[in-house]
Amino acid sequence: MATSINCWKCLARPCATSSSRISSIVSSKPFSSTSSKLVGGPKPFKKAAPAGVKQNLRIKKKGAQKTTGRPPASGERKAMRKRIVLSNTNALAVPGMQEFNKDLVADMLEGGEEKKSLVGNVVVLPGETVDALRAIDAFKPTQGWGLFNKPGLLIRQESVELTRALVSAEDEKSTLRYVIEGSKGSGKSMMLLHAQAVAVARGWVVLHFPEAQELVNAVNDYAAIPNSNPSVWMQPTYTAEWLEKIAKANPILDTIKMTQPHNLPIEIPKGTTLGRLCELGVRDSDIAFPLFQALWSELNQSGRPPILLTLDGLSYIMRDSQYRNTNNELIHSHDLALIKHFTDFLSGSQTMKNGGAVIGATSRSHHPISLSMNLAITQALEKQQESPQTERQPFEKNYDERVEASLKDVHVMKLSGTSKDEARGLMEYWAKSGVLRQTVDERSVAEKWALAGNGVLGELQRGALRMRI
Amino acid sequence: MKVSRPPAGLRETLQCACTPRPAVFNRQRAFEIRPRRFTTAPIPQASGGRFAAAPVRFPQQRENRNFQQDDDIGGADAVGPKDLFYARLVPASRSYFTAQPIFTDDLLSLQHLVAKYANLPTVKPGEQPRVSWRGLAEYRDQVGESVKASKYQKIVKLLARLNQIHPSLVPADVQEAINEYRRDIDVFKNVRRPAPVDGMGRTLGAGRRKSATARAWLVEGNGEVLVNGKTLVEAFGRVHDRESVIWALKATNRIDKYNVWGLSQGGGTTGQAEALTLAIGKALMAHEPALKPALRRAGVLTRDPKRVERKKPGKEKARKMPAWVKR
């Protein structure tokens, strides 16, 4: 790896790159990636043991490690691990960045000849968007937000397409059904975040399941919804927490008043705002799910904003959950009320009256394998490319009809590496932030792009920012 | 190198009794030796016996014979009175009295040639035709003498001087001398053919490392790399391995000029990555032969011959000794 040869402490950028690895090669020898034994120079002589001291080969055992100071309180380490840092005052502020607002969304869609395309630019998320996205846990600790002065977002060709689809769904009051799929580190969660940022900028209501895993791994309390046949299971505590996030992320709910009568366990006066409705649900988890249903039906009244419903980690909900029913059998994920709510819209069996979108993103790190989901995604991609369809494996038993029904006719966005222009835009942003201490030219972009598997963003970041050898 | 043969000078004289030297390595001598049949026996061939000295003739016998034949000591009927024959062994060459007679003869004949054609025009150093001379071992084997390397070097130097003569003016005897000392196989004719660029603009290179083998097809492009149908990231988890794969392109600043389609199998990840390094290096050299020195310096043309060392009996691994146990 070509490293910069300037000092580490100052942020001044070097004027030219130098490849230290090639300059060190003097004579011809076989290519080897291991260092020579002589690299460290001659080893110093070991001092002989003083006379009278008996030498033996026994290695002395160290005593038990002494604990110093206070041990971390319960949950402290996890909080540290999950901490999201969105601003780094040590990083340089990049001047002249555009804000991700309604105007920018409009610009993104125009992008004609007279205007320079936004693709390849990094735009900064405005304060209110950051607050909303933080409230719904859209940021993840692994995405490297803490390296930069302000959270920025790269505009890709695919994100422009997604934006166009979202805006047309709003205009036509239709429900957009999308699945985002791609290799590890290709920016699937960031694409979700882009959709959420567009939704916030255009005044949508945003609902987000940040980790589908948390819905199905049986860590929350659950109960069958009374009089449901077959049984559908609600998760009161999770719903209450989710309502809190929804209320926090969508200040617009405070301006919308309830208009419809609902059959609710508690008396709620007419004219209560939806924000207040959420608040009531947060207070009492037992009534959280009915209140969520009321909230949803209110949002589907005419004249209400469009809704964005997103979920990250799709393959977790495409199989049996780890919850068990009264017969001690595993409950299918689609029998959990919140997931059923999501899949009803994803499959298209229900639609949003004021328009909106339901987007699921797959995950490629530590994900369960759902054969039916993989098949449905492959088939959808083949359908989009008008190529011959892959059929089911005839002797495979583990296909799931419900999963295939839920993913029928969804649009699949396949993410792969970025183009070189996009990679260059991103690297220039890194360089301006003082994080990438290297000149960004065609050569360095080509190298990083190739090493990152033809421009996979996660690997690009890993190679350029994390691994500074 | 010692060879158990009779002394060479004597051998030359007793040529009829010795196997002749191989025809491929006959050299001209400064002093021409005519192979001479000689015998003192009256019926040399019919009896099948060969004698170094004449059988003793007793006076009685001599008396019975004609005294006119006394001068003709050989006594052979076929030999005429004019062809004088001495029974005493005479060395063919005066080199007989040196330690390595054949070598001395060879050296003298070459020196003679050099002196004879010293005035012929020569080519500039480096422009003469490249000739690979016979090695010392081969020469010793041919002449059967223990010739020192430094002595043989003298011959090689003389040959090099003869080879400097302008090719259009080389005399026949010089050419003959050069041909005598030329190796049977001309190593300089073995020129490696450059790998071809096929009809679709691809070149193929192959490489090996440890127990991995790899092939790589290189085509002009924009820097995309696929290994076994996967991207570099999917194929190699380690960044170092990824860098190894494209090292040939990186060292020559060609990353964004070519696309790579590679296949690698066997061995582990490091082996596969570095086998691909070699394969891509060779494929790149087929596209641009002028890059050879740069690629050589980057170390992507040289096969690393290191392999896993075999396990030995009495050892736990290749070198590791079993733990010492008291009794």
Side-chain angles (χ1 to χ4, degrees):
Chain A
M1 180 155 292
T3 51
S4 52
I5 45 162
N6 50 355
C7 88
W8 287 101
K9 296 252 170 100
C10 69
L11 289 168
R13 295 180 50 208
C15 52
T17 51
S18 76
S19 180
S20 60
R21 197 165 158 184
I22 191 164
S23 61
S24 66
I25 293 165
V26 190
S27 61
S28 166
K29 50 195 161 192
F31 179 82
S32 173
S33 61
T34 46
S35 55
S36 158
K37 272 183 184 175
L38 302 172
V39 158
K43 282 177 184 165
F45 263 129
K46 272 185 186 172
K47 275 185 189 171
V53 176
K54 207 176 162 186
Q55 276 191 312
N56 58 15
L57 289 169
R58 196 181 302 157
I59 297 164
K60 276 177 193 164
K61 273 187 187 168
K62 285 176 189 166
Q65 260 196 337
K66 281 175 193 168
T67 49
T68 52
R70 178 181 61 89
S74 79
E76 196 177 318
R77 273 186 285 213
K78 183 175 182 184
M80 200 65 179
R81 200 170 69 235
K82 298 279 176 190
R83 190 175 51 133
I84 308 279
V85 180
L86 290 181
S87 174
N88 183 354
T89 48
N90 289 327
L92 303 176
V94 182
M97 280 173 79
Q98 286 176 285
E99 275 207 344
F100 198 114
N101 51 25
K102 203 169 182 177
D103 300 337
L104 186 107
V105 173
D107 284 356
M108 220 188 294
L109 300 186
E110 282 174 17
E113 287 84 38
E114 74 281 2
K115 266 191 172 180
K116 204 187 152 207
S117 171
L118 274 169
V119 173
N121 280 19
V122 179
V123 293
V124 66
L125 296 172
E128 56 269 29
T129 308
V130 171
D131 291 344
L133 296 186
R134 190 195 265 278
I136 56 172
D137 289 344
F139 300 108
K140 291 188 168 188
T142 52
Q143 288 166 339
W145 300 103
L147 294 169
F148 304 100
N149 194 296
K150 278 179 176 174
L153 203 57
L154 173 73
I155 308 291
R156 301 170 63 170
Q157 193 58 51
E158 289 91 344
S159 45
V160 172
E161 282 166 27
L162 180 60
T163 311
R164 185 164 289 127
L166 287 171
V167 172
S168 72
E170 181 182 353
D171 295 342
E172 294 163 12
K173 291 192 187 299
S174 60
T175 311
L176 185 73
R177 300 185 292 126
Y178 247 64
V179 166
I180 301 171
E181 141 80 9
S183 60
K184 190 177 177 183
S186 59
K188 300 179 290 295
S189 298
M190 292 296 273
M191 195 56 71
L192 272 190
L193 194 139
H194 178 93
Q196 288 152 357
V198 171
V200 171
R202 292 187 71 90
W204 293 25
V205 174
V206 182
L207 286 78
H208 179 48
F209 295 105
E211 274 287 346
Q213 192 183 5
E214 290 172 1
L215 282 165
V216 295
N217 63 358
V219 293
N220 293 304
D221 55 342
Y222 65 113
I225 295 174
N227 307 324
S228 59
N229 190 25
S231 290
V232 178
W233 306 77
M234 60 180 180
Q235 290 154 288
T237 312
Y238 187 92
T239 314
E241 284 169 7
W242 198 46
L243 279 176
E244 188 181 11
K245 287 176 190 172
I246 292 168
K248 210 171 163 189
N250 300 293
I252 196 172
L253 294 181
D254 291 331
T255 62
I256 302 171
K257 286 180 179 167
M258 285 174 69
T259 54
Q260 299 296 310
H262 297 284
N263 184 18
L264 291 174
I266 57 164
E267 194 67 36
I268 292 177
K270 217 173 181 184
T272 311
T273 63
L274 296 185
R276 172 70 184 157
L277 189 73
C278 293
E279 203 178 302
L280 291 171
V282 174
R283 276 193 203 166
D284 186 359
S285 62
D286 289 344
I287 57 167
F289 190 72
L291 289 190
F292 167 72
Q293 283 175 313
L295 169 74
W296 190 264
S297 65
E298 284 295 334
L299 285 174
N300 274 299
Q301 299 305 314
S302 61
R304 301 284 155 81
I307 306 167
L308 177 69
L309 182 59
T310 52
L311 180 137
D312 204 348
L314 196 63
S315 59
Y316 281 101
I317 64 162
M318 293 301 172
R319 57 173 196 159
D320 282 340
S321 72
Q322 286 173 285
Y323 291 102
R324 287 181 184 271
N325 63 13
T326 47
N327 296 334
N328 203 27
E329 290 156 351
L330 290 174
I331 299 172
H332 195 276
S333 292
H334 293 189
D335 287 333
L336 297 171
L338 286 176
I339 294 174
K340 186 170 186 296
H341 183 78
F342 180 82
T343 52
D344 280 350
F345 287 93
L346 188 66
S347 64
S349 61
Q350 287 195 48
T351 52
M352 297 169 187
K353 301 290 177 298
N354 299 307
V358 51
I359 305 177
T362 61
S363 167
R364 279 295 177 88
S365 52
H366 191 63
H367 62 293
I369 289 166
S370 166
L371 288 176
S372 290
M373 188 190 82
N374 292 350
L375 180 71
I377 287 175
T378 314
Q379 285 177 342
L381 282 171
E382 283 164 351
K383 199 174 173 186
Q384 281 159 224
Q385 292 159 0
E386 293 172 359
S387 51
Q389 291 273 300
T390 308
E391 293 301 322
R392 277 184 172 194
Q393 296 280 342
F395 297 106
E396 179 59 59
K397 293 183 291 183
N398 294 330
Y399 288 114
D400 193 336
E401 297 286 346
R402 298 179 72 178
V403 169
E404 279 170 27
S406 73
L407 290 170
K408 204 163 194 311
D409 297 332
V410 288
H411 186 274
V412 176
M413 173 186 273
K414 174 90 177 171
L415 289 182
S416 52
T418 53
S419 72
K420 274 202 185 134
D421 291 338
E422 291 163 2
R424 179 163 194 156
L426 191 63
M427 283 176 71
E428 276 170 2
Y429 167 68
W430 290 341
K432 283 178 195 161
S433 300
V435 195
L436 180 69
R437 295 152 54 71
Q438 204 180 331
T439 44
V440 178
D441 53 8
E442 210 165 301
R443 184 179 180 174
S444 64
V445 171
E447 186 201 326
K448 293 273 188 287
W449 187 85
L451 284 178
N454 306 348
V456 174
L457 282 175
E459 295 293 337
L460 199 67
Q461 189 182 20
R462 184 181 163 201
L465 304 187
R466 305 257 178 211
M467 296 198 48
R468 293 193 290 187
I469 306 165
Chain B
M1 184 182 155
K2 302 269 182 187
V3 180
S4 55
R5 289 188 191 177
L10 211 59
R11 190 151 46 96
E12 200 64 47
T13 320
L14 296 172
Q15 208 172 26
C16 53
C18 297
T19 50
R21 301 176 72 196
V24 288
F25 198 46
N26 278 336
R27 66 176 62 75
Q28 280 189 322
R29 319 214 147 268
F31 313 102
E32 195 58 46
I33 304 157
R34 205 148 28 84
R36 221 186 286 179
R37 274 179 60 234
F38 71 96
T39 176
T40 52
I43 319 150
Q45 297 300 328
S47 66
R50 293 192 178 91
F51 305 96
V56 179
R57 289 177 186 167
F58 296 101
Q60 293 92 345
Q61 283 179 322
R62 202 190 279 178
E63 283 162 12
N64 293 344
R65 284 177 171 247
N66 195 345
F67 270 83
Q68 283 175 346
Q69 283 186 349
D70 270 9
D71 285 338
D72 195 355
I73 300 169
D77 297 334
V79 180
K82 284 180 185 174
D83 199 1
L84 282 181
F85 187 87
Y86 302 98
R88 187 170 65 88
L89 289 179
V90 177
S93 155
R94 282 172 211 170
S95 307
Y96 175 73
F97 299 105
T98 62
Q100 288 93 16
I102 299 180
F103 164 75
T104 315
D105 274 352
D106 291 347
L107 188 68
L108 287 173
S109 67
L110 287 175
Q111 277 172 346
H112 175 71
L113 276 178
V114 168
K116 187 176 169 188
Y117 298 113
N119 293 329
L120 284 181
T122 58
V123 292
K124 282 180 194 164
E127 287 178 7
Q128 74 275 26
R130 298 186 75 182
V131 181
S132 55
W133 308 112
R134 290 176 193 276
L136 174 63
E138 202 179 341
Y139 180 75
R140 280 173 176 167
D141 204 23
Q142 294 288 354
V143 301
E145 293 173 352
S146 57
V147 183
K148 282 185 180 174
S150 58
K151 301 276 174 154
Y152 185 60
Q153 204 56 38
K154 287 182 180 175
I155 285 188
V156 173
K157 270 189 181 171
L158 290 170
L159 287 167
R161 173 63 187 81
L162 288 176
N163 198 32
Q164 285 282 103
I165 297 172
H166 198 281
S168 61
L169 300 170
V170 178
D173 46 353
V174 170
Q175 193 57 56
E176 208 173 324
I178 287 175
N179 286 345
E180 263 176 32
Y181 289 90
R182 190 196 290 273
R183 265 183 68 183
D184 295 336
I185 297 164
D186 189 358
V187 292
F188 299 111
K189 274 187 185 164
N190 184 19
V191 182
R192 194 178 184 139
R193 275 178 298 143
V197 182
D198 71 5
M200 301 170 88
R202 298 171 299 190
T203 56
L204 169 64
R208 290 197 183 87
R209 169 87 168 89
K210 293 188 179 178
S211 51
T213 59
R215 281 171 291 159
W217 283 264
L218 215 64
V219 66
E220 280 183 33
N222 61 344
E224 287 178 39
V225 183
L226 283 182
V227 176
N228 293 343
K230 294 178 274 188
T231 62
L232 211 47
V233 167
E234 289 160 340
F236 296 106
R238 211 168 149 237
V239 176
H240 196 292
D241 287 341
R242 293 175 205 163
E243 209 161 274
S244 295
V245 172
I246 59 166
W247 184 245
L249 298 170
K250 189 182 167 185
T252 51
N253 194 12
R254 294 286 188 281
I255 290 180
D256 52 349
K257 307 285 190 295
Y258 292 98
N259 286 354
V260 179
W261 198 86
L263 291 177
S264 63
Q265 56 183 1
T269 49
T270 309
Q272 292 201 347
E274 293 181 9
L276 277 165
T277 312
L278 237 71
I280 293 174
K282 286 179 189 168
L284 179 60
M285 203 172 68
H287 269 292
E288 300 182 53
L291 285 179
K292 186 173 180 179
L295 291 170
R296 172 83 62 206
R297 262 179 276 129
V300 297
L301 298 182
T302 317
R303 158 84 153 111
D304 188 349
K306 288 185 284 183
R307 294 296 304 265
V308 177
E309 192 176 333
R310 62 153 289 190
K311 187 203 173 298
K312 280 98 181 170
K315 305 235 176 189
E316 291 193 349
K317 301 196 288 179
R319 308 270 178 99
K320 187 186 179 188
M321 288 298 289
W324 179 79
V325 184
K326 192 177 180 186
R327 274 181 293 277

